[in-house]
Amino acid sequence: MGIAYRLALDIVNNLANTFGDSGCARVMLPLSPPTSHREKTMPPRLYVGTLQKAYHAQENPSAFGIYRWDHDGEGWRGPALTPTPQPGWLVISPCGGFLYAMNELREVDGVAGGAITAFAIHPRSGDLIELNRRKTGGNPCHGAIDATGRYLLVSTFHGGMVEMFPLAPDGLLGEAVVVNRHQGSSLHPKRQTAPHPHGIAITPDNRLVLVPDLGTDRIEVYELDAVQGTLRHLPEAALVLPPLSGPRHALISPSGQWAYIIAEMSAQIMVVAIETPHRLRLVQCIDLLPAQFSGLRSGGELVWGDDGRFLYATTRSHGSSGMPDKPGVDGLYWLAIDQDSGLLTLAGSRPAHGLIPRDCAVADGGLWVAHQASSLLSWHPIDRATGALGAAEHVLETPVPACIIPCPAAKTPYQP
């Protein structure tokens, strides 16, 4: 057992009285802190996953791991670096005590495939302490933790696989217990010659998993049993989308009735009715860009607003391969959700604050956006009545950001 792991375990055990059913240490704090302690509201922080290079052709790396920004009540301080290779996607455990990085690598120790790295989060400083690492069959691009906190589900883009890893109560990653390889292709002669699962979305009842596959233009369906630790592929239930859609990521409504898909290659938002576990139905497609637009169409990310009335999306002018002859649009969009039908209306848009807005997240009354090619984060206020985004009010320089996770303020006793 390494020193770093023992330190992380001590941190968890010193704070926790017991381990909860969620598979995470449940931190038990006194209702009234002792007189030697006083309660302090801990400021919000940001964890930012990065890629080593903004472009494939870039000669030298410019980002080297996970970067953290902390707010001290007056302004943002950072970024602090935790080294780890190509952490292009990050997931935090339901209990908030652990962070998992998808290391988007094509090769690890001379063997094809990527990796996932587990970290414990220091409850006061926010420092990340590495626990362990597991290989994946391909380079992992997305992941999600089930509602029990016991399993991490991962999509591997170039491996064409979905994998499921058990999570121990102390945060350690186990070996994959499920590995399933997708089959098929679609029409694009370069981008869709093989499966490329790009996202993971789990229904609120923790029983169904939807996996957008960019390479096959399909939404694959899985049945999850967290008690038995099984993940069963239901290929007959897959939804076939229009050719050249290139589905990227998915969201599922709190009711479990609707899924919202952002299609990378067509820059559309698709509304899918989840009628039964074995039946999905496409009910709406919203174009983020005008029908007559002749430049690159590239959908980036799709996230919930904080009150469930709006979705926020991004499009990108280009990708990691560089600027095309006809660039697309680096844009931010907000869509209103009909609370009865689940259908969408494109309510507005504004230019992004930088190049390649790859990821975004709603926090602190606004939208944080990670701009891969401009190496910056921007925060845009949200008008709660209309959902509209304002101009950037905070800008944080961060190298090649690919994923951003805001952590809300929490309370903890501390020794002054």
Side-chain angles (χ1 to χ4, degrees), residues 355-409:
L355 299 176
I356 310 185
R358 184 183 177 105
D359 192 28
C360 59
V362 171
D364 307 315
L367 183 74
W368 282 102
V369 184
H371 301 87
Q372 174 184 326
S374 295
S375 287
L376 60 84
L377 312 174
S378 62
W379 182 86
H380 302 258
I382 293 175
D383 184 310
R384 293 191 65 83
T386 66
L389 295 170
E393 294 186 3
H394 303 291
V395 177
L396 306 177
E397 293 185 1
T398 309
V400 201
C403 174
I404 181 169
I405 298 185
C407 294

Tab-separated table of all heavy atoms in Angstrom, residues 355-409:
chain	number	residue	atom	x	y	z
A	355	LEU	N	-12.345	29.930	-28.718
A	355	LEU	CA	-12.392	28.921	-29.772
A	355	LEU	C	-12.604	27.522	-29.195
A	355	LEU	O	-12.023	27.161	-28.176
A	355	LEU	CB	-11.086	28.951	-30.573
A	355	LEU	CG	-10.749	30.272	-31.291
A	355	LEU	CD1	-9.377	30.176	-31.951
A	355	LEU	CD2	-11.817	30.615	-32.314
A	356	ILE	N	-13.406	26.748	-29.872
A	356	ILE	CA	-13.764	25.367	-29.512
A	356	ILE	C	-14.321	25.286	-28.098
A	356	ILE	O	-13.673	24.794	-27.158
A	356	ILE	CB	-12.574	24.395	-29.669
A	356	ILE	CG1	-11.902	24.525	-31.046
A	356	ILE	CG2	-13.050	22.955	-29.478
A	356	ILE	CD1	-10.796	23.509	-31.309
A	357	PRO	N	-15.555	25.768	-27.891
A	357	PRO	CA	-16.210	25.576	-26.583
A	357	PRO	C	-16.626	24.117	-26.416
A	357	PRO	O	-17.733	23.719	-26.766
A	357	PRO	CB	-17.414	26.517	-26.658
A	357	PRO	CG	-17.708	26.638	-28.122
A	357	PRO	CD	-16.386	26.532	-28.823
A	358	ARG	N	-15.731	23.333	-25.881
A	358	ARG	CA	-15.870	21.866	-25.856
A	358	ARG	C	-16.812	21.383	-24.764
A	358	ARG	O	-17.528	20.395	-24.928
A	358	ARG	CB	-14.485	21.239	-25.678
A	358	ARG	CG	-14.473	19.718	-25.740
A	358	ARG	CD	-13.078	19.185	-25.473
A	358	ARG	NE	-13.027	17.747	-25.463
A	358	ARG	CZ	-12.519	16.999	-26.449
A	358	ARG	NH1	-12.023	17.589	-27.526
A	358	ARG	NH2	-12.498	15.693	-26.356
A	359	ASP	N	-16.801	22.070	-23.612
A	359	ASP	CA	-17.610	21.619	-22.487
A	359	ASP	C	-18.204	22.832	-21.790
A	359	ASP	O	-17.719	23.960	-21.935
A	359	ASP	CB	-16.747	20.816	-21.509
A	359	ASP	CG	-17.575	20.069	-20.475
A	359	ASP	OD1	-18.732	19.715	-20.785
A	359	ASP	OD2	-17.091	19.849	-19.350
A	360	CYS	N	-19.262	22.592	-21.014
A	360	CYS	CA	-19.873	23.671	-20.249
A	360	CYS	C	-20.586	23.077	-19.050
A	360	CYS	O	-20.865	21.872	-18.999
A	360	CYS	CB	-20.818	24.507	-21.107
A	360	CYS	SG	-22.182	23.587	-21.873
A	361	ALA	N	-20.872	23.930	-18.058
A	361	ALA	CA	-21.545	23.485	-16.842
A	361	ALA	C	-22.218	24.680	-16.189
A	361	ALA	O	-21.663	25.777	-16.155
A	361	ALA	CB	-20.544	22.846	-15.867
A	362	VAL	N	-23.420	24.457	-15.663
A	362	VAL	CA	-24.160	25.514	-14.982
A	362	VAL	C	-23.797	25.522	-13.504
A	362	VAL	O	-23.814	24.474	-12.846
A	362	VAL	CB	-25.675	25.324	-15.167
A	362	VAL	CG1	-26.469	26.284	-14.286
A	362	VAL	CG2	-26.054	25.522	-16.637
A	363	ALA	N	-23.449	26.699	-12.985
A	363	ALA	CA	-23.123	26.843	-11.562
A	363	ALA	C	-23.129	28.317	-11.199
A	363	ALA	O	-22.825	29.182	-12.032
A	363	ALA	CB	-21.750	26.239	-11.244
A	364	ASP	N	-23.482	28.598	-9.953
A	364	ASP	CA	-23.396	29.957	-9.398
A	364	ASP	C	-24.196	30.965	-10.222
A	364	ASP	O	-23.796	32.118	-10.396
A	364	ASP	CB	-21.928	30.407	-9.303
A	364	ASP	CG	-21.064	29.409	-8.555
A	364	ASP	OD1	-21.513	28.938	-7.505
A	364	ASP	OD2	-19.964	29.080	-9.033
A	365	GLY	N	-25.351	30.515	-10.755
A	365	GLY	CA	-26.211	31.424	-11.497
A	365	GLY	C	-25.747	31.745	-12.896
A	365	GLY	O	-26.214	32.709	-13.512
A	366	GLY	N	-24.834	30.941	-13.429
A	366	GLY	CA	-24.331	31.196	-14.775
A	366	GLY	C	-23.817	29.935	-15.432
A	366	GLY	O	-23.933	28.830	-14.880
A	367	LEU	N	-23.259	30.095	-16.622
A	367	LEU	CA	-22.731	28.975	-17.395
A	367	LEU	C	-21.221	29.115	-17.528
A	367	LEU	O	-20.723	30.113	-18.063
A	367	LEU	CB	-23.359	28.944	-18.793
A	367	LEU	CG	-22.950	27.767	-19.682
A	367	LEU	CD1	-23.629	26.481	-19.202
A	367	LEU	CD2	-23.292	28.043	-21.152
A	368	TRP	N	-20.494	28.116	-17.022
A	368	TRP	CA	-19.054	28.027	-17.249
A	368	TRP	C	-18.824	27.313	-18.583
A	368	TRP	O	-19.470	26.308	-18.872
A	368	TRP	CB	-18.361	27.240	-16.137
A	368	TRP	CG	-18.148	28.004	-14.868
A	368	TRP	CD1	-18.871	27.909	-13.716
A	368	TRP	CD2	-17.121	28.964	-14.623
A	368	TRP	NE1	-18.362	28.758	-12.764
A	368	TRP	CE2	-17.285	29.415	-13.295
A	368	TRP	CE3	-16.079	29.491	-15.391
A	368	TRP	CZ2	-16.448	30.376	-12.718
A	368	TRP	CZ3	-15.249	30.440	-14.823
A	368	TRP	CH2	-15.430	30.871	-13.509
A	369	VAL	N	-17.886	27.836	-19.364
A	369	VAL	CA	-17.577	27.251	-20.670
A	369	VAL	C	-16.071	27.032	-20.774
A	369	VAL	O	-15.280	27.928	-20.431
A	369	VAL	CB	-18.043	28.163	-21.826
A	369	VAL	CG1	-17.796	27.476	-23.168
A	369	VAL	CG2	-19.520	28.514	-21.671
A	370	ALA	N	-15.683	25.844	-21.218
A	370	ALA	CA	-14.263	25.499	-21.405
A	370	ALA	C	-13.930	25.594	-22.895
A	370	ALA	O	-14.494	24.856	-23.708
A	370	ALA	CB	-13.986	24.090	-20.896
A	371	HIS	N	-13.016	26.514	-23.247
A	371	HIS	CA	-12.633	26.750	-24.639
A	371	HIS	C	-11.283	26.087	-24.912
A	371	HIS	O	-10.227	26.600	-24.530
A	371	HIS	CB	-12.550	28.249	-24.921
A	371	HIS	CG	-13.838	28.979	-24.682
A	371	HIS	ND1	-14.184	29.465	-23.454
A	371	HIS	CD2	-14.862	29.283	-25.525
A	371	HIS	CE1	-15.365	30.063	-23.535
A	371	HIS	NE2	-15.793	29.971	-24.775
A	372	GLN	N	-11.336	24.955	-25.571
A	372	GLN	CA	-10.144	24.137	-25.794
A	372	GLN	C	-9.018	24.888	-26.500
A	372	GLN	O	-7.858	24.835	-26.073
A	372	GLN	CB	-10.524	22.901	-26.618
A	372	GLN	CG	-9.362	22.030	-27.062
A	372	GLN	CD	-9.808	20.894	-27.959
A	372	GLN	OE1	-10.901	20.354	-27.800
A	372	GLN	NE2	-8.981	20.508	-28.922
A	373	ALA	N	-9.325	25.574	-27.589
A	373	ALA	CA	-8.269	26.164	-28.420
A	373	ALA	C	-7.852	27.555	-27.978
A	373	ALA	O	-6.822	28.063	-28.451
A	373	ALA	CB	-8.705	26.204	-29.877
A	374	SER	N	-8.619	28.184	-27.078
A	374	SER	CA	-8.224	29.490	-26.548
A	374	SER	C	-7.600	29.380	-25.165
A	374	SER	O	-7.147	30.377	-24.602
A	374	SER	CB	-9.440	30.429	-26.483
A	374	SER	OG	-9.922	30.708	-27.774
A	375	SER	N	-7.608	28.164	-24.607
A	375	SER	CA	-7.043	27.908	-23.277
A	375	SER	C	-7.604	28.863	-22.225
A	375	SER	O	-6.867	29.533	-21.497
A	375	SER	CB	-5.506	27.988	-23.312
A	375	SER	OG	-4.976	26.856	-23.973
A	376	LEU	N	-8.922	28.903	-22.164
A	376	LEU	CA	-9.558	29.738	-21.147
A	376	LEU	C	-10.926	29.183	-20.772
A	376	LEU	O	-11.563	28.447	-21.531
A	376	LEU	CB	-9.672	31.194	-21.602
A	376	LEU	CG	-10.460	31.532	-22.860
A	376	LEU	CD1	-11.956	31.662	-22.582
A	376	LEU	CD2	-9.948	32.841	-23.455
A	377	LEU	N	-11.363	29.567	-19.565
A	377	LEU	CA	-12.695	29.305	-19.069
A	377	LEU	C	-13.427	30.644	-19.003
A	377	LEU	O	-12.830	31.657	-18.647
A	377	LEU	CB	-12.668	28.685	-17.669
A	377	LEU	CG	-11.718	27.517	-17.422
A	377	LEU	CD1	-11.732	27.149	-15.935
A	377	LEU	CD2	-12.092	26.323	-18.276
A	378	SER	N	-14.704	30.644	-19.345
A	378	SER	CA	-15.492	31.871	-19.212
A	378	SER	C	-16.783	31.558	-18.476
A	378	SER	O	-17.332	30.457	-18.590
A	378	SER	CB	-15.789	32.485	-20.586
A	378	SER	OG	-16.558	31.605	-21.393
A	379	TRP	N	-17.263	32.549	-17.688
A	379	TRP	CA	-18.522	32.409	-16.948
A	379	TRP	C	-19.495	33.462	-17.445
A	379	TRP	O	-19.171	34.654	-17.486
A	379	TRP	CB	-18.297	32.577	-15.454
A	379	TRP	CG	-19.534	32.410	-14.616
A	379	TRP	CD1	-20.054	31.253	-14.134
A	379	TRP	CD2	-20.412	33.458	-14.166
A	379	TRP	NE1	-21.198	31.494	-13.409
A	379	TRP	CE2	-21.439	32.836	-13.410
A	379	TRP	CE3	-20.431	34.842	-14.333
A	379	TRP	CZ2	-22.469	33.570	-12.824
A	379	TRP	CZ3	-21.456	35.577	-13.747
A	379	TRP	CH2	-22.463	34.941	-12.990
A	380	HIS	N	-20.702	32.999	-17.834
A	380	HIS	CA	-21.717	33.874	-18.395
A	380	HIS	C	-22.947	33.865	-17.498
A	380	HIS	O	-23.488	32.788	-17.212
A	380	HIS	CB	-22.113	33.393	-19.797
A	380	HIS	CG	-20.970	33.316	-20.752
A	380	HIS	ND1	-20.725	34.266	-21.708
A	380	HIS	CD2	-19.967	32.391	-20.887
A	380	HIS	CE1	-19.644	33.942	-22.399
A	380	HIS	NE2	-19.162	32.806	-21.918
A	381	PRO	N	-23.421	35.025	-17.040
A	381	PRO	CA	-24.616	35.046	-16.186
A	381	PRO	C	-25.851	34.590	-16.956
A	381	PRO	O	-25.970	34.811	-18.163
A	381	PRO	CB	-24.728	36.516	-15.780
A	381	PRO	CG	-24.036	37.275	-16.866
A	381	PRO	CD	-22.907	36.378	-17.329
A	382	ILE	N	-26.780	33.954	-16.239
A	382	ILE	CA	-28.027	33.469	-16.823
A	382	ILE	C	-29.186	34.316	-16.308
A	382	ILE	O	-29.334	34.508	-15.091
A	382	ILE	CB	-28.259	31.992	-16.465
A	382	ILE	CG1	-27.212	31.097	-17.137
A	382	ILE	CG2	-29.663	31.537	-16.861
A	382	ILE	CD1	-27.308	29.625	-16.736
A	383	ASP	N	-30.003	34.825	-17.208
A	383	ASP	CA	-31.244	35.491	-16.846
A	383	ASP	C	-32.254	34.407	-16.478
A	383	ASP	O	-32.680	33.618	-17.326
A	383	ASP	CB	-31.751	36.316	-18.029
A	383	ASP	CG	-33.003	37.115	-17.701
A	383	ASP	OD1	-33.969	36.530	-17.163
A	383	ASP	OD2	-33.022	38.331	-17.987
A	384	ARG	N	-32.659	34.361	-15.222
A	384	ARG	CA	-33.491	33.259	-14.755
A	384	ARG	C	-34.876	33.264	-15.398
A	384	ARG	O	-35.521	32.214	-15.523
A	384	ARG	CB	-33.618	33.295	-13.234
A	384	ARG	CG	-32.308	33.000	-12.522
A	384	ARG	CD	-32.530	32.783	-11.034
A	384	ARG	NE	-33.333	31.613	-10.757
A	384	ARG	CZ	-32.874	30.369	-10.699
A	384	ARG	NH1	-31.590	30.138	-10.917
A	384	ARG	NH2	-33.681	29.359	-10.427
A	385	ALA	N	-35.348	34.430	-15.821
A	385	ALA	CA	-36.672	34.494	-16.422
A	385	ALA	C	-36.669	33.958	-17.850
A	385	ALA	O	-37.583	33.228	-18.255
A	385	ALA	CB	-37.191	35.931	-16.399
A	386	THR	N	-35.656	34.329	-18.618
A	386	THR	CA	-35.634	33.985	-20.042
A	386	THR	C	-34.638	32.891	-20.398
A	386	THR	O	-34.674	32.358	-21.508
A	386	THR	CB	-35.287	35.219	-20.875
A	386	THR	OG1	-33.929	35.631	-20.578
A	386	THR	CG2	-36.233	36.375	-20.561
A	387	GLY	N	-33.726	32.569	-19.469
A	387	GLY	CA	-32.677	31.595	-19.752
A	387	GLY	C	-31.518	32.161	-20.531
A	387	GLY	O	-30.536	31.459	-20.793
A	388	ALA	N	-31.584	33.449	-20.916
A	388	ALA	CA	-30.574	34.045	-21.785
A	388	ALA	C	-29.212	34.155	-21.093
A	388	ALA	O	-29.131	34.408	-19.883
A	388	ALA	CB	-31.028	35.417	-22.263
A	389	LEU	N	-28.173	33.974	-21.888
A	389	LEU	CA	-26.794	34.110	-21.407
A	389	LEU	C	-26.286	35.513	-21.675
A	389	LEU	O	-26.490	36.069	-22.764
A	389	LEU	CB	-25.885	33.106	-22.115
A	389	LEU	CG	-26.144	31.625	-21.842
A	389	LEU	CD1	-25.327	30.770	-22.800
A	389	LEU	CD2	-25.799	31.284	-20.397
A	390	GLY	N	-25.593	36.076	-20.686
A	390	GLY	CA	-24.968	37.376	-20.859
A	390	GLY	C	-23.522	37.233	-21.307
A	390	GLY	O	-23.006	36.129	-21.490
A	391	ALA	N	-22.854	38.370	-21.480
A	391	ALA	CA	-21.437	38.375	-21.842
A	391	ALA	C	-20.601	37.819	-20.691
A	391	ALA	O	-21.013	37.837	-19.522
A	391	ALA	CB	-20.996	39.791	-22.184
A	392	ALA	N	-19.428	37.315	-21.024
A	392	ALA	CA	-18.548	36.722	-20.015
A	392	ALA	C	-18.177	37.744	-18.948
A	392	ALA	O	-17.784	38.874	-19.266
A	392	ALA	CB	-17.292	36.173	-20.677
A	393	GLU	N	-18.293	37.347	-17.677
A	393	GLU	CA	-17.932	38.221	-16.563
A	393	GLU	C	-16.692	37.737	-15.825
A	393	GLU	O	-16.051	38.514	-15.120
A	393	GLU	CB	-19.105	38.353	-15.595
A	393	GLU	CG	-20.294	39.078	-16.201
A	393	GLU	CD	-21.395	39.324	-15.185
A	393	GLU	OE1	-21.204	38.985	-13.990
A	393	GLU	OE2	-22.462	39.854	-15.589
A	394	HIS	N	-16.368	36.472	-15.962
A	394	HIS	CA	-15.137	35.925	-15.381
A	394	HIS	C	-14.420	35.150	-16.475
A	394	HIS	O	-15.040	34.369	-17.197
A	394	HIS	CB	-15.425	34.985	-14.207
A	394	HIS	CG	-16.217	35.602	-13.099
A	394	HIS	ND1	-15.708	36.579	-12.284
A	394	HIS	CD2	-17.487	35.389	-12.689
A	394	HIS	CE1	-16.629	36.939	-11.395
A	394	HIS	NE2	-17.721	36.232	-11.636
A	395	VAL	N	-13.134	35.341	-16.595
A	395	VAL	CA	-12.321	34.616	-17.562
A	395	VAL	C	-11.076	34.103	-16.845
A	395	VAL	O	-10.345	34.890	-16.227
A	395	VAL	CB	-11.918	35.493	-18.764
A	395	VAL	CG1	-11.011	34.712	-19.706
A	395	VAL	CG2	-13.157	35.982	-19.506
A	396	LEU	N	-10.844	32.794	-16.897
A	396	LEU	CA	-9.713	32.172	-16.217
A	396	LEU	C	-8.848	31.463	-17.252
A	396	LEU	O	-9.319	30.565	-17.950
A	396	LEU	CB	-10.197	31.165	-15.169
A	396	LEU	CG	-11.197	31.684	-14.122
A	396	LEU	CD1	-11.639	30.549	-13.211
A	396	LEU	CD2	-10.587	32.816	-13.314
A	397	GLU	N	-7.609	31.839	-17.349
A	397	GLU	CA	-6.705	31.202	-18.299
A	397	GLU	C	-6.292	29.828	-17.782
A	397	GLU	O	-5.728	29.703	-16.695
A	397	GLU	CB	-5.472	32.080	-18.521
A	397	GLU	CG	-5.787	33.399	-19.224
A	397	GLU	CD	-4.533	34.195	-19.537
A	397	GLU	OE1	-3.417	33.711	-19.234
A	397	GLU	OE2	-4.668	35.318	-20.081
A	398	THR	N	-6.600	28.808	-18.568
A	398	THR	CA	-6.332	27.411	-18.204
A	398	THR	C	-5.942	26.669	-19.473
A	398	THR	O	-6.672	26.722	-20.461
A	398	THR	CB	-7.581	26.766	-17.588
A	398	THR	OG1	-8.088	27.596	-16.536
A	398	THR	CG2	-7.268	25.385	-17.038
A	399	PRO	N	-4.822	25.948	-19.476
A	399	PRO	CA	-4.367	25.329	-20.726
A	399	PRO	C	-5.266	24.200	-21.215
A	399	PRO	O	-5.613	23.289	-20.464
A	399	PRO	CB	-2.965	24.805	-20.374
A	399	PRO	CG	-2.972	24.652	-18.892
A	399	PRO	CD	-3.874	25.725	-18.373
A	400	VAL	N	-5.687	24.291	-22.458
A	400	VAL	CA	-6.414	23.261	-23.212
A	400	VAL	C	-7.519	22.590	-22.388
A	400	VAL	O	-7.531	21.372	-22.207
A	400	VAL	CB	-5.442	22.203	-23.772
A	400	VAL	CG1	-6.081	21.452	-24.933
A	400	VAL	CG2	-4.133	22.808	-24.232
A	401	PRO	N	-8.482	23.355	-21.896
A	401	PRO	CA	-9.546	22.737	-21.083
A	401	PRO	C	-10.501	21.917	-21.942
A	401	PRO	O	-10.960	22.354	-22.992
A	401	PRO	CB	-10.249	23.956	-20.470
A	401	PRO	CG	-10.050	25.051	-21.484
A	401	PRO	CD	-8.682	24.804	-22.068
A	402	ALA	N	-10.804	20.710	-21.492
A	402	ALA	CA	-11.709	19.818	-22.216
A	402	ALA	C	-12.936	19.455	-21.402
A	402	ALA	O	-13.955	19.035	-21.960
A	402	ALA	CB	-10.972	18.537	-22.606
A	403	CYS	N	-12.872	19.615	-20.076
A	403	CYS	CA	-13.974	19.252	-19.190
A	403	CYS	C	-13.913	20.149	-17.970
A	403	CYS	O	-12.821	20.411	-17.439
A	403	CYS	CB	-13.854	17.781	-18.785
A	403	CYS	SG	-15.061	17.247	-17.552
A	404	ILE	N	-15.061	20.633	-17.518
A	404	ILE	CA	-15.097	21.498	-16.351
A	404	ILE	C	-16.153	20.997	-15.375
A	404	ILE	O	-17.281	20.700	-15.771
A	404	ILE	CB	-15.357	22.967	-16.759
A	404	ILE	CG1	-15.358	23.885	-15.534
A	404	ILE	CG2	-16.647	23.108	-17.554
A	404	ILE	CD1	-15.333	25.350	-15.896
A	405	ILE	N	-15.767	20.868	-14.096
A	405	ILE	CA	-16.691	20.439	-13.050
A	405	ILE	C	-16.687	21.477	-11.934
A	405	ILE	O	-15.710	21.597	-11.191
A	405	ILE	CB	-16.309	19.068	-12.470
A	405	ILE	CG1	-16.371	17.999	-13.546
A	405	ILE	CG2	-17.239	18.705	-11.321
A	405	ILE	CD1	-16.131	16.610	-13.026
A	406	PRO	N	-17.758	22.268	-11.809
A	406	PRO	CA	-17.859	23.179	-10.667
A	406	PRO	C	-18.312	22.406	-9.433
A	406	PRO	O	-19.202	21.565	-9.506
A	406	PRO	CB	-18.931	24.188	-11.101
A	406	PRO	CG	-19.242	23.866	-12.530
A	406	PRO	CD	-18.863	22.439	-12.744
A	407	CYS	N	-17.677	22.681	-8.306
A	407	CYS	CA	-18.079	22.078	-7.038
A	407	CYS	C	-18.702	23.166	-6.182
A	407	CYS	O	-18.048	24.168	-5.891
A	407	CYS	CB	-16.881	21.469	-6.326
A	407	CYS	SG	-16.170	20.069	-7.192
A	408	PRO	N	-19.966	23.023	-5.793
A	408	PRO	CA	-20.643	24.076	-5.040
A	408	PRO	C	-20.061	24.243	-3.652
A	408	PRO	O	-19.336	23.385	-3.144
A	408	PRO	CB	-22.088	23.583	-4.981
A	408	PRO	CG	-21.977	22.101	-5.084
A	408	PRO	CD	-20.805	21.853	-5.999
A	409	ALA	N	-20.394	25.367	-3.039
A	409	ALA	CA	-19.944	25.643	-1.672
A	409	ALA	C	-20.470	24.574	-0.731
A	409	ALA	O	-21.566	24.068	-0.878
A	409	ALA	CB	-20.409	27.006	-1.237
